[in-house]
Amino acid sequence: MPKKTTADVKKTKKKDFETVAEISAPATVPEIEVTPKKKILFVASESTPFIATGGLAEVIGSLSRALAKNSDLDVRVVIPLYSDIATEYRSKMKYLGNIFVPLAWRNQYCGIFSYEKEGVIFYFLDNEYYFKRPGCYGYYDDGERFAFFSRSVLEIMPFLGFFPDVLHCHDWQAALAAVYLKTIYCFRPEYQFIRSLFTIHNIEYQGKYSLDILEDLFGISNSWRYLLEYDKCINLMKAAIECSEKFSTVSPRYAEEIKDPFYAHGLDPIVRRNEFKLTGILNGIDVDSYNSETDPAIFCNYTKEDPEPKKRCKEELQKMFNLPVKAETPIVAVISRLVSHKGLDLVKTVIEEILRQDVQVIILGKGDSMYENFFTDLAKNYVGKLVTVIAFNPDLSRKIYAGADLFLMPSKSEPCGLSQMIACRYGTVPVVRETGGLYDSIKPVSLGGNGFTFANYNAYDMLYVIREAIACYQNKEFWPELVKRVMNSDFSWQRSAGEYEKLYRSMLQ
Ligand code: GLC
């Protein structure tokens, strides 16, 4: 075998260590370039299938799974170990060990459990004092609970031997993880290459606390106060925007909207100042779970090629709610948290005008007692036309998605919204206001799109398009075509997961 010259070595030289390997290795060993997987750690307060109070959990569960399908990524998720997590999952968790986490003058126990699911490793952080309570939020000490959680996320890294390339923090409960990284941990060698991304799922909830607790509770030196302080208090969302390399939100339209005071709940100056690092990526949904062909919760299954059996779902739904069984009467559904930003003021204003037409309306949700009482009382005056169910019931909601004809979602603001996408999966045509992710996912039928839309936050504009939709329902030729078109909308994670990956890579250059 001829000896290699220096020029030969230089030609094949990639990195110094490869050169050494090449000189001493036998000629038959092929040169393999191994690119290490990029390590992504999601930090969030909830994730399906373990614990869910809303859209955030669905996104954490389904986006992490979609990203993990990419063999270049090692995706892991960390959430608190709430007592509400079902035994079904708890019993299968692996106990990895425990550490003690410093939190100002406290030193708190943190148990670490793991559970692997479809290529994603989930970590659960245990501390019974903080998380052995019903539900996830709404306690006087939520600030301290999520400060402990966020601090623990950084403390478990050496224990696990896992230092992510990207620390992807979601919403205010995880904001402090990005802040601790920048104010405490990035000065330590193992942490110095971690980049952080902060995703806003809803700018309304910012995590605001009194400035008094900065040092005593969050354990952050007063010299960093300028990063956290906003409007005379600690604002965790603001701090995470300042501290992260990039921040994102859950639709391109919402990324524009939050620069505007109407949508930003006071944070618009901060968003505008940091605009250069903001991206909007539209959420997807779990299209395997929300699938009219296979969903076991609905009365009968149907395909987008042949949605005819959907009619049986409607019939069964009408029977279930004691509504007259009438195929020609469209069912309008509202499945929503009953809170003001979901546009319930508009519904409240014109509901009687809607009910004057040949429609049936079903409202499912829980929320402000003002709306709960209003719609419950009204249903008593409109027996056989209006049904109100005050509950959060995933099984029932699937039956309604499948059995209804129109899905009303007139939100005042909507970062992304998943329900309009779910409705499409079941061939139920959305009626939405053009805001945030509703604007990005639903385009007007008149332009060849998949729903009925209106622009201004105005009850009569909404009423106008509802009437248009009802008239359209009566068009026996067009409606079945529209149902198929709506079911053909692509809301899988495939495209958006690719966008997240691009974003991660742009941060790691
Ligand atoms: C929040 C937003 C909702 C979004 C969800 C997931 O719940 O209000 O619009 O779809 O987060 O990102």
PDB file of all heavy atoms in Angstrom, residues 434-448:
ATOM      1  N   GLU A 434     -61.456  36.472  11.870  1.00  0.00           N
ATOM      2  CA  GLU A 434     -60.125  36.443  11.267  1.00  0.00           C
ATOM      3  C   GLU A 434     -59.090  37.021  12.232  1.00  0.00           C
ATOM      4  O   GLU A 434     -58.720  38.186  12.144  1.00  0.00           O
ATOM      5  CB  GLU A 434     -60.129  37.256   9.967  1.00  0.00           C
ATOM      6  CG  GLU A 434     -60.977  36.626   8.886  1.00  0.00           C
ATOM      7  CD  GLU A 434     -61.365  37.598   7.781  1.00  0.00           C
ATOM      8  OE1 GLU A 434     -60.755  38.680   7.698  1.00  0.00           O
ATOM      9  OE2 GLU A 434     -62.292  37.279   7.026  1.00  0.00           O
ATOM     10  N   THR A 435     -58.650  36.186  13.150  1.00  0.00           N
ATOM     11  CA  THR A 435     -57.625  36.638  14.093  1.00  0.00           C
ATOM     12  C   THR A 435     -56.659  35.494  14.390  1.00  0.00           C
ATOM     13  O   THR A 435     -57.063  34.322  14.396  1.00  0.00           O
ATOM     14  CB  THR A 435     -58.265  37.161  15.402  1.00  0.00           C
ATOM     15  OG1 THR A 435     -57.232  37.626  16.274  1.00  0.00           O
ATOM     16  CG2 THR A 435     -59.068  36.104  16.126  1.00  0.00           C
ATOM     17  N   GLY A 436     -55.403  35.835  14.636  1.00  0.00           N
ATOM     18  CA  GLY A 436     -54.390  34.844  15.026  1.00  0.00           C
ATOM     19  C   GLY A 436     -54.406  33.600  14.148  1.00  0.00           C
ATOM     20  O   GLY A 436     -54.497  33.676  12.927  1.00  0.00           O
ATOM     21  N   GLY A 437     -54.344  32.454  14.807  1.00  0.00           N
ATOM     22  CA  GLY A 437     -54.296  31.188  14.078  1.00  0.00           C
ATOM     23  C   GLY A 437     -55.583  30.866  13.344  1.00  0.00           C
ATOM     24  O   GLY A 437     -55.579  30.061  12.404  1.00  0.00           O
ATOM     25  N   LEU A 438     -56.694  31.507  13.747  1.00  0.00           N
ATOM     26  CA  LEU A 438     -57.952  31.292  13.014  1.00  0.00           C
ATOM     27  C   LEU A 438     -57.798  31.868  11.613  1.00  0.00           C
ATOM     28  O   LEU A 438     -58.204  31.267  10.621  1.00  0.00           O
ATOM     29  CB  LEU A 438     -59.122  31.975  13.735  1.00  0.00           C
ATOM     30  CG  LEU A 438     -59.476  31.421  15.119  1.00  0.00           C
ATOM     31  CD1 LEU A 438     -60.541  32.286  15.788  1.00  0.00           C
ATOM     32  CD2 LEU A 438     -59.968  29.989  15.002  1.00  0.00           C
ATOM     33  N   TYR A 439     -57.155  33.027  11.545  1.00  0.00           N
ATOM     34  CA  TYR A 439     -56.906  33.652  10.244  1.00  0.00           C
ATOM     35  C   TYR A 439     -55.977  32.777   9.395  1.00  0.00           C
ATOM     36  O   TYR A 439     -56.174  32.616   8.191  1.00  0.00           O
ATOM     37  CB  TYR A 439     -56.284  35.037  10.454  1.00  0.00           C
ATOM     38  CG  TYR A 439     -55.818  35.680   9.175  1.00  0.00           C
ATOM     39  CD1 TYR A 439     -56.695  36.402   8.368  1.00  0.00           C
ATOM     40  CD2 TYR A 439     -54.490  35.551   8.764  1.00  0.00           C
ATOM     41  CE1 TYR A 439     -56.276  36.973   7.187  1.00  0.00           C
ATOM     42  CE2 TYR A 439     -54.054  36.123   7.568  1.00  0.00           C
ATOM     43  CZ  TYR A 439     -54.960  36.828   6.784  1.00  0.00           C
ATOM     44  OH  TYR A 439     -54.530  37.392   5.611  1.00  0.00           O
ATOM     45  N   ASP A 440     -54.958  32.216  10.050  1.00  0.00           N
ATOM     46  CA  ASP A 440     -53.971  31.436   9.290  1.00  0.00           C
ATOM     47  C   ASP A 440     -54.477  30.061   8.855  1.00  0.00           C
ATOM     48  O   ASP A 440     -53.949  29.484   7.916  1.00  0.00           O
ATOM     49  CB  ASP A 440     -52.690  31.254  10.127  1.00  0.00           C
ATOM     50  CG  ASP A 440     -51.912  32.558  10.245  1.00  0.00           C
ATOM     51  OD1 ASP A 440     -51.838  33.292   9.247  1.00  0.00           O
ATOM     52  OD2 ASP A 440     -51.389  32.837  11.342  1.00  0.00           O
ATOM     53  N   SER A 441     -55.474  29.533   9.552  1.00  0.00           N
ATOM     54  CA  SER A 441     -55.882  28.152   9.228  1.00  0.00           C
ATOM     55  C   SER A 441     -57.202  28.063   8.468  1.00  0.00           C
ATOM     56  O   SER A 441     -57.462  27.068   7.797  1.00  0.00           O
ATOM     57  CB  SER A 441     -55.979  27.318  10.513  1.00  0.00           C
ATOM     58  OG  SER A 441     -56.891  27.903  11.413  1.00  0.00           O
ATOM     59  N   ILE A 442     -58.049  29.108   8.564  1.00  0.00           N
ATOM     60  CA  ILE A 442     -59.370  29.033   7.913  1.00  0.00           C
ATOM     61  C   ILE A 442     -59.489  30.163   6.878  1.00  0.00           C
ATOM     62  O   ILE A 442     -59.356  31.341   7.219  1.00  0.00           O
ATOM     63  CB  ILE A 442     -60.509  29.154   8.966  1.00  0.00           C
ATOM     64  CG1 ILE A 442     -60.343  28.104  10.087  1.00  0.00           C
ATOM     65  CG2 ILE A 442     -61.892  29.043   8.302  1.00  0.00           C
ATOM     66  CD1 ILE A 442     -60.364  26.651   9.646  1.00  0.00           C
ATOM     67  N   LYS A 443     -59.731  29.781   5.650  1.00  0.00           N
ATOM     68  CA  LYS A 443     -59.865  30.775   4.578  1.00  0.00           C
ATOM     69  C   LYS A 443     -61.301  30.769   4.056  1.00  0.00           C
ATOM     70  O   LYS A 443     -61.964  29.722   4.051  1.00  0.00           O
ATOM     71  CB  LYS A 443     -58.884  30.455   3.443  1.00  0.00           C
ATOM     72  CG  LYS A 443     -57.422  30.526   3.880  1.00  0.00           C
ATOM     73  CD  LYS A 443     -57.011  31.958   4.242  1.00  0.00           C
ATOM     74  CE  LYS A 443     -55.611  32.018   4.813  1.00  0.00           C
ATOM     75  NZ  LYS A 443     -55.302  33.240   5.531  1.00  0.00           N
ATOM     76  N   PRO A 444     -61.811  31.936   3.620  1.00  0.00           N
ATOM     77  CA  PRO A 444     -63.227  32.033   3.244  1.00  0.00           C
ATOM     78  C   PRO A 444     -63.650  31.087   2.121  1.00  0.00           C
ATOM     79  O   PRO A 444     -62.929  30.941   1.131  1.00  0.00           O
ATOM     80  CB  PRO A 444     -63.379  33.481   2.775  1.00  0.00           C
ATOM     81  CG  PRO A 444     -62.126  34.179   3.116  1.00  0.00           C
ATOM     82  CD  PRO A 444     -61.091  33.190   3.493  1.00  0.00           C
ATOM     83  N   VAL A 445     -64.813  30.481   2.314  1.00  0.00           N
ATOM     84  CA  VAL A 445     -65.403  29.586   1.318  1.00  0.00           C
ATOM     85  C   VAL A 445     -65.514  30.297  -0.029  1.00  0.00           C
ATOM     86  O   VAL A 445     -65.249  29.722  -1.084  1.00  0.00           O
ATOM     87  CB  VAL A 445     -66.803  29.129   1.805  1.00  0.00           C
ATOM     88  CG1 VAL A 445     -67.590  28.465   0.693  1.00  0.00           C
ATOM     89  CG2 VAL A 445     -66.653  28.175   2.993  1.00  0.00           C
ATOM     90  N   SER A 446     -65.867  31.591   0.023  1.00  0.00           N
ATOM     91  CA  SER A 446     -66.064  32.339  -1.226  1.00  0.00           C
ATOM     92  C   SER A 446     -64.780  32.424  -2.051  1.00  0.00           C
ATOM     93  O   SER A 446     -64.807  32.685  -3.236  1.00  0.00           O
ATOM     94  CB  SER A 446     -66.567  33.739  -0.912  1.00  0.00           C
ATOM     95  OG  SER A 446     -65.685  34.343   0.005  1.00  0.00           O
ATOM     96  N   LEU A 447     -63.628  32.218  -1.400  1.00  0.00           N
ATOM     97  CA  LEU A 447     -62.359  32.248  -2.138  1.00  0.00           C
ATOM     98  C   LEU A 447     -61.801  30.833  -2.315  1.00  0.00           C
ATOM     99  O   LEU A 447     -60.598  30.628  -2.464  1.00  0.00           O
ATOM    100  CB  LEU A 447     -61.332  33.110  -1.394  1.00  0.00           C
ATOM    101  CG  LEU A 447     -61.706  34.568  -1.149  1.00  0.00           C
ATOM    102  CD1 LEU A 447     -60.628  35.285  -0.340  1.00  0.00           C
ATOM    103  CD2 LEU A 447     -61.915  35.290  -2.479  1.00  0.00           C
ATOM    104  N   GLY A 448     -62.693  29.855  -2.193  1.00  0.00           N
ATOM    105  CA  GLY A 448     -62.243  28.468  -2.370  1.00  0.00           C
ATOM    106  C   GLY A 448     -61.701  27.861  -1.085  1.00  0.00           C
ATOM    107  O   GLY A 448     -61.060  26.806  -1.110  1.00  0.00           O
TER     108      GLY A 448
END
